[in-house]
Amino acid sequence: MSTTTTDEIESIVRDLPRDIIIDILTRLPVRSVLRFKSVCRSWYVILSNPNFTSKHFKNRTILNNRHEDRCFLFTRNYSDDDIINGITFLSNDKAINVPIKLEIPFLRKSKPLRVSGTCNGLVCLSILPLGSIILLWNPATREFKDLPIAKIPRPKQGPIKVALGFGFDPVADDYKVLRIVYYCYPLNQVEVYSLRSNTWREIKRTVQFLIFESGCNVYLKGRFHWSAIGFGTMNGRKLIVSFDMGDENFRYIMPPNFGLGDDDNYEDVVKVRWTSMVLNESLAVVACGGNGPNKKFDVWVMNEYGVAGSWTKYMSFRLNTRIDRTLGCGEDGKILIEMDTSKVVSFDTATQTMKELGDQNIACFSEVFNHMESLLPIRGGKNAEDTNLCEVRPDPFFVHNHPDKILIMDSGKMIEELDADIIHALHEGNQCEDILSKMGINQGEQSMKIVIPPTNILDALKEDMTGIAFLRSF
Amino acid sequence: MIVLQSSDKETFEVEEAVAMESQTIKHMIEDDCVDTSIPLPNVTSKTLAKVIVYCKKHVVKDKTCDHEEELKKFDVEFMKGLDQDTLFDLILAANYLNIKSLLDLTCQTVADMIKDKSPEEIRKIFNIKNDFTPEEEDAVRQENAWAFE
């Protein structure tokens, strides 16, 4: 039946009653529905109707053929010409670029939008770096909703980092956005936005961990999962932190002992890069140790969710070319990996084969999410064409006001991405730091940019490199 | 045992449980409107025979993984062997007899046939006139241009 001609199909459907035809349409993949809107006026109306879309969503969820609606989703690199960038849907070998057609005036002057989460076809977008504007958007229906400013009392100091999570609470039948705001250690705030009530509320939670990512792409059993490093009582420990959408609590899962180095050796702990993902419906971790050609990847799977002893090493692999980062895992056990040349490959864990997917132009700040396309409407959602987009204003608290804050944060990000070792040096072995901090004390302006390193710094750098200690003077 | 009579007056004897896969027949039995046999004037014998084969397989309510797999395989084979006319008749029969799983299966099969078609092909298949102006059609296509890639 897969090679049926249009004539043959015609004889099947031509005399079917209208109800049955509509029933057939509710079983189509999302992209087919979008194409068929241009068939005729009445189909446009039928296919946009809320009754149709809710039946469509039910069918696609119950029947197990959603694979056509599933894809990887990530933020594309933006060029200066298209300030408001786009996202890419990547499935099998096909990459489709989807523009975000939201001409929000504020965005023209600021950093681009990036994907912070996706759930049931709705995508959560936020502005780098602190999410001063957060939007929920369905690329298929083009409906969007800008989140209101949180009426939560704030400390005097500015936020340093924000982590977001977007998901669905089936008990409350509500979409929620979680925001963790980090200030100078140990201050932080945790808040939750509810789409139903369209408000933010703060929740008092103990946060003793620093999350690396800005969004969350590991969603399992109704919980977000982030890779994190503990501080406070969990100081220095590798953690997987989960947040439950229903009871709104954080929980910890210890990742396995990677054995890629001595886990008690601080340097080895720092050198092992690891990311969590969902592999074949279980929580998994891919740990990468070693450098250059010795780089090895171990894939660990938690066979019983939450049971510490159930971590098993599923497999190991090495690839010939240099790997930058593991991005995520698809439904079929295929791991997406970014190579050093920004090319992307899909690695099949079952067959241990690799498939090149070319240069996908993934933005360096972008995580990769597992997206399921849908036609779901957004409660309180608007269409860009019918909305005054000047009304989409950022939350001023999250708009950085230090002129060089972005520069400083970008440097931090750059360091993360260099294949460099970050080593802790004592003050007595770090003359550069000594010289720079003295310069800082003596300067008049709040910040000073030095483009060419002064010669005294270069000399000090040489000595630091060879490990010459010096006596600090004040 | 229940006796079902097709439109062309052929009779089929089936177990009550199998017949009750059809909600329509189930209500008839429960409402006691049944005499010696149940007449089904909307279903030919050819189609009814196929429906009975389907219901016999699906009447077993075994929730194990293996059985689910077996049913899936059966469904695929069942649909493969059908020509267009039988598929059409089967859809209408599943609708009339109110057998949800069969209707799901047949409608999904048709959906899979048309999902990759272009709007032009869809118009031909369903005999629909394009009542958009060229500008309107262009605007609609632009809304989700990426879906056409």
Side-chain angles (χ1 to χ4, degrees):
Chain A
M1 285 265 133
S2 55
T3 48
T4 344
T5 64
T6 42
D7 285 338
E8 287 168 326
I9 306 175
E10 206 179 302
S11 62
I12 299 171
V13 306
R14 190 59 82 85
D15 296 319
L16 286 176
R18 191 170 175 276
D19 286 347
I20 294 187
I21 293 181
I22 294 180
D23 184 287
I24 291 172
L25 298 180
T26 62
R27 296 164 195 280
L28 291 168
V30 169
R31 286 179 215 177
S32 306
V33 173
L34 296 178
R35 281 203 308 276
F36 296 173
K37 277 186 171 182
S38 55
V39 165
C40 69
R41 286 184 186 184
S42 60
W43 275 42
Y44 184 89
V45 171
I46 291 170
L47 298 176
S48 312
N49 183 293
N51 285 334
F52 178 86
T53 51
S54 66
K55 217 173 160 240
H56 179 273
F57 182 71
K58 258 196 215 120
N59 277 345
R60 300 302 284 176
T61 314
I62 295 172
L63 306 171
N64 239 334
N65 52 4
R66 294 170 291 164
H67 61 272
E68 290 144 326
D69 287 338
R70 289 198 172 277
C71 59
F72 286 116
L73 169 69
F74 51 82
T75 317
R76 232 179 27 250
N77 244 336
Y78 68 106
S79 60
D80 286 325
D81 313 327
D82 54 353
I83 298 293
I84 297 179
N85 53 323
I87 59 176
T88 301
F89 290 159
L90 179 64
S91 57
N92 299 322
D93 310 339
K94 217 160 97 172
I96 297 199
N97 294 328
V98 181
I100 306 173
K101 287 187 202 155
L102 296 169
E103 315 287 322
I104 297 170
F106 179 75
L107 290 181
R108 269 188 242 121
K109 300 181 288 185
S110 76
K111 291 288 185 168
L113 286 167
R114 49 112 189 258
V115 179
S116 297
T118 160
C119 181
N120 289 343
L122 306 184
V123 179
C124 179
L125 300 168
S126 66
I127 299 186
L128 289 168
L130 297 174
S132 56
I133 290 181
I134 302 177
L135 306 169
L136 298 181
W137 174 61
N138 188 331
T141 62
R142 294 158 305 114
E143 226 189 351
F144 81 97
K145 167 113 183 69
D146 49 318
L147 267 53
I149 294 172
K151 291 189 172 57
I152 292 170
R154 300 285 183 200
K156 282 209 168 49
Q157 49 179 299
I160 293 179
K161 182 179 166 54
V162 166
L164 296 175
F166 172 57
F168 179 68
D169 176 0
V171 174
D173 188 27
D174 195 8
Y175 287 91
K176 294 180 179 168
V177 176
L178 165 75
R179 174 163 61 195
I180 305 173
V181 186
Y182 289 99
Y183 305 94
C184 271
Y185 175 79
L187 189 58
N188 57 68
Q189 279 182 302
V190 182
E191 41 211 69
V192 176
Y193 167 80
S194 141
L195 184 61
R196 253 184 199 280
S197 65
N198 192 29
T199 52
W200 288 93
R201 68 195 140 82
E202 185 173 4
I203 54 176
K204 294 291 182 205
R205 298 287 182 269
T206 314
V207 172
Q208 295 207 312
F209 47 84
L210 179 62
I211 289 171
F212 302 138
E213 299 104 34
S214 57
C216 184
N217 55 355
V218 182
Y219 195 66
L220 182 65
K221 302 209 191 293
R223 296 177 182 173
F224 303 125
H225 297 76
W226 284 280
S227 313
I229 282 263
F231 49 68
T233 55
M234 315 280 271
N235 196 29
R237 299 178 71 175
K238 297 197 278 286
L239 297 171
I240 297 176
V241 176
S242 77
F243 180 81
D244 188 295
M245 286 263 65
D247 64 21
E248 296 181 353
N249 277 317
F250 289 108
R251 291 174 177 81
Y252 302 117
I253 294 177
M254 297 305 162
N257 189 338
F258 297 133
L260 282 168
D262 184 354
D263 274 337
D264 288 336
N265 183 338
Y266 180 76
E267 298 206 350
D268 280 356
V269 165
V270 165
K271 277 191 193 151
V272 172
R273 283 173 67 167
W274 59 287
T275 42
S276 341
M277 52 183 69
V278 177
L279 177 63
N280 300 329
E281 296 180 25
S282 298
L283 186 61
V285 158
V286 179
C288 150
N291 278 315
N294 291 328
K295 222 172 197 176
K296 184 165 87 95
F297 290 81
D298 289 341
V299 181
W300 293 77
V301 173
M302 188 173 228
N303 287 320
E304 271 182 75
Y305 180 80
V307 176
S310 72
W311 283 108
T312 12
K313 193 192 282 200
Y314 177 63
M315 55 162 310
S316 290
F317 62 93
R318 270 178 229 274
L319 293 176
N320 289 330
T321 38
R322 203 186 109 174
I323 296 176
D324 250 6
R325 47 180 179 149
T326 48
L327 298 170
C329 185
E331 277 240 297
D332 41 5
K334 297 206 175 101
I335 298 181
L336 213 59
I337 299 172
E338 190 180 36
M339 307 297 227
D340 61 348
T341 44
S342 85
K343 293 207 196 309
V344 173
V345 300
S346 162
F347 180 80
D348 189 333
T349 49
T351 61
Q352 299 223 22
T353 52
M354 194 177 89
K355 187 187 213 176
E356 303 219 356
L357 300 177
D359 187 343
Q360 294 300 336
N361 207 17
I362 302 180
C364 59
F365 52 75
S366 177
E367 281 115 30
V368 169
F369 298 83
N370 292 67
H371 181 65
M372 185 186 89
E373 292 177 52
S374 85
L375 299 168
L376 278 189
I378 302 174
R379 178 187 279 257
K382 324 166 200 181
N383 263 319
E385 299 91 47
D386 307 328
T387 313
N388 179 5
L389 291 172
C390 287
E391 289 168 355
V392 179
R393 311 273 325 151
D395 185 335
F397 185 69
F398 294 102
V399 177
H400 65 96
N401 40 30
H402 189 294
D404 294 313
K405 201 163 176 189
I406 291 300
L407 183 65
I408 296 165
M409 294 181 70
D410 280 353
S411 317
K413 197 97 184 74
M414 265 172 59
I415 293 173
E416 266 179 70
E417 274 147 25
L418 291 172
D419 192 13
D421 298 336
I422 299 179
I423 305 168
H424 180 238
L426 296 173
H427 280 299
E428 285 72 19
N430 194 344
Q431 286 191 60
C432 291
E433 184 263 316
D434 195 59
I435 294 172
L436 288 169
S437 48
K438 284 190 179 125
M439 277 171 89
I441 292 172
N442 292 326
Q443 73 191 23
E445 314 90 35
Q446 194 183 17
S447 73
M448 188 167 86
K449 284 188 271 267
I450 307 168
V451 177
I452 300 169
T455 27
N456 59 343
I457 297 253
L458 290 175
D459 292 337
L461 186 60
K462 281 197 206 117
E463 292 190 4
D464 284 340
M465 278 165 61
T466 49
I468 295 177
F470 74 106
L471 276 176
R472 293 166 72 193
S473 60
F474 296 93
Chain B
M1 295 297 275
I2 302 279
V3 176
L4 304 173
Q5 193 184 63
S6 66
S7 58
D8 43 343
K9 305 289 184 242
E10 247 194 76
T11 56
F12 297 80
E13 208 182 4
V14 292
E15 293 192 15
E16 186 169 313
V18 173
M20 303 258 272
E21 284 287 293
S22 152
Q23 291 297 307
T24 309
I25 295 178
K26 181 166 183 270
H27 291 320
M28 282 172 149
I29 295 176
E30 284 168 351
D31 292 345
D32 239 355
C33 335
V34 171
D35 217 0
T36 44
S37 65
I38 301 180
L40 302 170
N42 292 6
V43 189
T44 64
S45 54
K46 182 173 177 219
T47 313
L48 190 51
K50 280 252 171 246
V51 171
I52 289 171
V53 168
Y54 179 88
C55 290
K56 276 190 174 149
K57 190 72 183 176
H58 278 256
V59 75
V60 179
K61 294 290 179 248
D62 184 353
K63 287 280 184 200
T64 60
C65 235
D66 287 340
H67 185 72
E68 298 282 330
E69 279 301 309
E70 211 189 303
L71 275 185
K72 275 191 197 144
K73 286 204 183 105
F74 168 81
D75 287 349
V76 170
E77 286 306 309
F78 185 75
M79 296 311 294
K80 252 198 217 160
L82 301 178
D83 58 62
Q84 303 93 275
D85 293 332
T86 318
L87 180 52
F88 173 78
D89 290 335
L90 211 49
I91 296 174
L92 292 184
N95 189 43
Y96 167 67
L97 292 171
N98 198 348
I99 306 171
K100 186 175 188 311
S101 59
L102 183 57
L103 190 59
D104 284 343
L105 178 62
T106 47
C107 286
Q108 187 63 56
T109 305
V110 179
D112 290 340
M113 284 180 202
I114 63 173
K115 70 185 180 202
D116 291 327
K117 300 295 180 199
S118 68
E120 293 79 22
E121 287 171 311
I122 293 290
R123 287 185 201 119
K124 181 172 184 302
I125 290 169
F126 288 91
N127 194 22
I128 294 174
K129 187 172 181 321
N130 180 3
D131 53 359
F132 282 124
T133 68
E135 295 79 30
E136 285 172 341
E137 190 182 344
D138 204 46
V140 174
R141 284 189 157 221
Q142 278 309 306
E143 277 178 6
N144 292 108
W146 54 273
F148 286 86
E149 283 180 44

